[in-house]
Amino acid sequence: MKCIPEEPDFRDGQLAEKVVWEALKDCLPDDAVLAHSVQVRDGRAEHEIDILVLWPGVGMAAIEVKGGRIAVDNGQWTQSDRSGVHKIQSPVAQSQGSLHAFKNWIGRQLGTPLTSRFAYMVSLPYTDVPRTWEMAGCPRSLVLDREDTASAAELVRTAIEREGGGASSLAPAFMERIVRVLNGTLGRDSQLLDPKEQEDAQDHLTERQSVLLKATRSLPRVRFVGGAGSGKTWLAIEKARLLCKQGKRVGLFSYNKGISQYLQDRVSNWRHAQPQFTGEFHEYARRLGVPDGTGPAYFEEELPQLLKELAVGLQPQQRLDAVVIDEAQDFAPLWWEALLATATDDAEIYAFLDDHQDVYRRWGNPSTDGASPLEDLVTIHIDENLRNTRKIAETFRSFAGDHFTPRGSTGLPVRRVECATEDALDVAGDCIDALIEEGWANNQIAMLTTKDRHPIHKEFFENGTTADYWREFHANDSEFYGHVLGFKGLERSVIVLCVNGFKDLSRAAEQLYVGLSRARSLLVVVGDSDLLEKAGGRELKMALSRAENWNPATPVGL
């Protein structure tokens, strides 16, 4: 059994802690971990866990130990020892407080919320507690008395399983991550850097891209072209913010529903002026008065034509001074024409796009006059990938263009799960279960399919509740199930890319590019190697050959 420290130095006055420690050490299994006097600082408050139990496959327990004879009367706890009888703080409250402080602290250290079962307990090795005793916040099962000390391990296990807060047992791999922090180990391998630290660094690099906006501030019409992970969405939001501060009537647009809601969430917290409109192009047209309709012909042709006609009668105060579009490659030429018809003649235009992610192929049909709405925009190239680790970025390098330059940290190895195409959906679900067992929080994970939707995603789609679907994604409360076409511009710490076929193989490369580039810290690719090579080419095959072959039934240390 691992003990931290290996031989605790029990001082005078800690005899009770020593007795409980030795009892647990004698009866806990070999793979459990015992830690003594775990000091935790949560904000300004300092806490101490007398004995911390980490039990793989079970959970955790924070045990507050009190020697002497303990009594409680009318809510007041007292301790009788050699110095007499004196009042003490509730050991139950102490144990509760230290447990919550530890959860907060370890979550910050690992960048992963602690979701394993965790019980607070009180050990009174020199006090007899009746079996029928109980008080608010402390059932008898959370107390170890004199008689219980001899069989402490099983009682600790029972307390964790019955009373411990948390969603799952303690995964061995996640326990090892906790142990490394408790040990105070320095100089960990770079692959073991926690995802939160890596992603904070990625965010910092992205914010440094603001230099591009400063350098181009005198250019009223700019086309920012960058690959996946280059920070285009951040730049689009920042550009809109700067324009709003200048008092301009700004429209901040995206075609993708998920991105549109993300944009709305971001601008909703601005204290200064907000954009005149933020969201989907089609919703903007409806808001201006274009009547509702359905079907591809309506969205692709009728609506933009009706918007152009309506725009003729807009008053000056209704027109946009600036147009900012994220994922601009998704906007068909006719949509551009209609949108710009609602702006002033000298409106500023800023398009943020990745011309390698034209998954909708809308630029195959030029506008009626043959001119591109973007041709008079100055092109600024953004070549650096900042949002992915290098190991992830290397998997989609062949899709991203010749000037693509990864700048992230090395990161965790990409994982490769081989399976038949028809089994990919089930296997990808097994991967999510295994990742949660490893210690990844469910809200860090998204599964993206390339053909048929996951049943959870399909239910939202068929019920017409896509608004609720995206609200759940942005609430960031649980794992997410989506399709690569709807996840453009979005990201999660962990992506399980479920390659369950393609409806149109000619569009498969763009879809793979999107799916492979959505993960910030860990990418898991599930599917058939032959199909992946057929869709993504030999370069993708070579990149995935360097991935770590993974069986989700086998735990992986992080």
Side-chain angles (χ1 to χ4, degrees):
M1 178 192 299
K2 183 174 183 61
C3 295
I4 305 173
E6 188 172 338
E7 295 183 2
D9 181 17
F10 293 103
R11 303 182 304 276
D12 291 343
Q14 291 183 314
L15 176 61
E17 293 177 28
K18 181 178 181 180
V19 168
V20 178
W21 173 274
E22 295 294 343
L24 287 168
K25 186 177 177 182
D26 287 343
C27 57
L28 281 170
D30 291 341
D31 57 352
V33 175
L34 267 181
H36 176 251
S37 188
V38 178
Q39 307 291 324
V40 183
R41 188 177 180 90
D42 188 21
R44 294 184 178 181
E46 296 181 352
H47 301 264
E48 179 186 12
I49 299 176
D50 291 335
I51 298 177
L52 178 66
V53 177
L54 301 133
W55 195 332
V58 180
M60 303 170 60
I63 304 176
E64 177 72 20
V65 181
K66 293 295 182 187
R69 298 293 299 273
I70 304 299
V72 58
D73 182 42
N74 199 29
Q76 176 61 61
W77 291 78
T78 58
Q79 182 180 39
S80 302
D81 54 24
R82 286 176 293 180
S83 62
V85 179
H86 46 92
K87 296 178 181 180
I88 61 172
Q89 181 182 352
S90 164
V92 178
Q94 285 183 280
S95 189
Q96 286 177 315
S98 61
L99 178 149
H100 291 301
F102 183 86
K103 285 185 68 174
N104 293 338
W105 175 75
I106 202 68
R108 291 193 299 270
Q109 295 297 309
L110 300 180
T112 304
L114 179 61
T115 59
S116 304
R117 287 192 291 268
F118 199 173
Y120 59 87
M121 299 186 69
V122 174
S123 178
L124 312 174
Y126 302 116
T127 300
D128 295 310
V129 180
R131 293 294 161 191
T132 57
W133 177 88
E134 186 170 313
M135 69 178 298
C138 188
R140 177 63 177 82
S141 58
L142 294 181
V143 177
L144 302 175
D145 72 351
R146 183 203 309 266
E147 183 180 339
D148 296 331
T149 301
S151 56
E154 278 309 307
L155 293 172
V156 167
R157 178 176 192 140
T158 299
I160 293 171
E161 293 179 338
R162 294 183 181 177
E163 306 291 347
S168 60
S169 59
L170 179 62
F174 193 61
M175 184 185 77
E176 289 303 317
R177 295 176 68 190
I178 295 174
V179 168
R180 284 197 292 269
V181 175
L182 291 176
N183 278 336
T185 303
L186 295 176
R188 291 188 294 165
D189 184 86
S190 62
Q191 288 189 2
L192 299 177
L193 290 174
D194 70 75
K196 183 66 166 62
E197 182 178 351
Q198 294 182 112
E199 291 173 19
D200 285 347
Q202 292 165 4
D203 291 340
H204 178 67
L205 287 172
T206 302
E207 291 172 8
R208 286 171 52 187
Q209 293 283 61
S210 61
V211 68
L212 293 173
L213 301 181
K214 295 175 182 177
T216 59
R217 63 181 178 272
S218 61
L219 299 176
R221 298 194 169 200
V222 183
R223 180 176 181 261
F224 292 90
V225 181
S230 56
K232 297 184 299 298
T233 297
W234 187 92
L235 286 168
I237 294 170
E238 181 65 9
K239 186 62 181 180
R241 187 184 70 84
L242 295 172
L243 291 166
C244 287
K245 288 186 71 173
Q246 296 170 20
K248 296 184 182 295
R249 295 186 297 271
V250 179
L252 176 57
F253 298 93
S254 175
Y255 169 71
N256 179 291
K257 288 183 181 294
I259 282 285
S260 293
Q261 188 165 325
Y262 174 74
L263 299 177
Q264 291 167 354
D265 291 344
R266 290 294 302 273
V267 305
S268 66
N269 296 321
W270 292 354
R271 296 182 180 179
H272 55 76
Q274 296 182 6
Q276 187 162 310
F277 178 85
T278 302
E280 299 172 69
F281 161 69
H282 295 88
E283 182 57 34
Y284 177 65
R286 291 192 183 100
R287 186 172 298 186
L288 288 179
V290 173
D292 286 340
T294 57
Y298 167 77
F299 288 106
E300 300 288 339
E301 300 177 9
E302 292 178 32
L303 180 143
Q305 187 60 45
L306 290 169
L307 180 58
K308 286 180 67 176
E309 295 170 3
L310 182 149
V312 175
L314 290 178
Q315 298 299 310
Q317 66 272 18
Q318 294 177 287
R319 295 184 177 277
L320 299 173
D321 298 319
V323 173
V324 180
I325 302 184
D326 190 31
E327 300 291 342
Q329 75 278 357
D330 293 342
F331 273 62
L334 189 57
W335 302 0
W336 271 98
E337 294 174 13
L339 184 56
L340 297 183
T342 69
T344 60
D345 291 339
D346 59 348
E348 297 183 40
I349 303 172
Y350 302 95
F352 297 83
L353 67 146
D354 181 351
D355 48 16
H356 293 282
Q357 286 195 58
D358 183 18
V359 296
Y360 298 107
R361 303 287 176 89
R362 294 198 171 104
W363 288 85
N365 298 315
S367 56
T368 53
D369 61 5
S372 166
L374 305 182
E375 66 179 4
D376 67 334
L377 273 61
V378 176
T379 300
I380 302 295
H381 291 284
I382 316 172
D383 296 324
E384 295 185 334
N385 172 277
L386 311 172
R387 308 292 290 176
N388 309 101
T389 65
R390 295 195 184 200
K391 287 188 180 294
I392 293 171
E394 289 298 331
T395 65
F396 59 86
R397 176 189 282 273
S398 61
F399 302 114
D402 296 336
H403 301 286
F404 176 77
T405 308
R407 294 294 189 199
S409 58
T410 302
L412 298 167
V414 173
R415 299 188 194 177
R416 179 75 181 89
V417 181
E418 179 71 28
C419 69
T421 301
E422 60 270 22
D423 298 329
L425 204 57
D426 290 336
V427 174
D430 294 339
C431 291
I432 290 180
D433 293 339
L435 289 164
I436 293 173
E437 281 294 311
E438 285 179 20
W440 293 96
N442 57 357
N443 64 357
Q444 292 180 297
I445 304 169
M447 179 204 292
L448 303 181
T449 60
T450 56
K451 188 180 180 184
D452 297 328
R453 295 179 174 88
H454 185 276
I456 292 177
H457 183 193
K458 188 176 181 180
E459 183 177 357
F460 279 102
F461 182 79
E462 291 179 344
N463 292 341
T465 55
T466 53
D468 295 336
Y469 170 75
W470 286 112
R471 271 193 290 271
E472 286 196 8
F473 170 74
H474 291 293
N476 204 33
D477 290 331
S478 62
E479 66 267 26
F480 182 78
Y481 300 89
H483 191 281
V484 290
L485 293 180
F487 211 72
K488 286 163 52 60
L490 301 175
E491 58 191 25
R492 274 277 168 102
S493 297
V494 182
I495 292 294
V496 178
L497 179 59
C498 173
V499 183
N500 60 339
F502 300 95
K503 291 182 179 179
D504 182 354
L505 198 59
S506 67
R507 298 170 59 186
E510 288 92 342
Q511 292 186 41
L512 285 174
Y513 178 28
V514 173
L516 294 166
S517 60
R518 299 304 94 199
R520 297 190 65 179
S521 296
L522 176 63
L523 172 65
V524 181
V525 182
V526 179
D528 177 69
S529 291
D530 291 339
L531 178 60
L532 280 161
E533 181 180 4
K534 189 174 181 180
R538 290 188 58 81
E539 293 86 353
L540 177 61
K541 178 182 179 180
M542 291 299 297
L544 291 179
S545 71
R546 296 187 288 272
E548 175 184 291
N549 291 323
W550 183 42
N551 178 354
T554 303
V556 176
L558 296 181

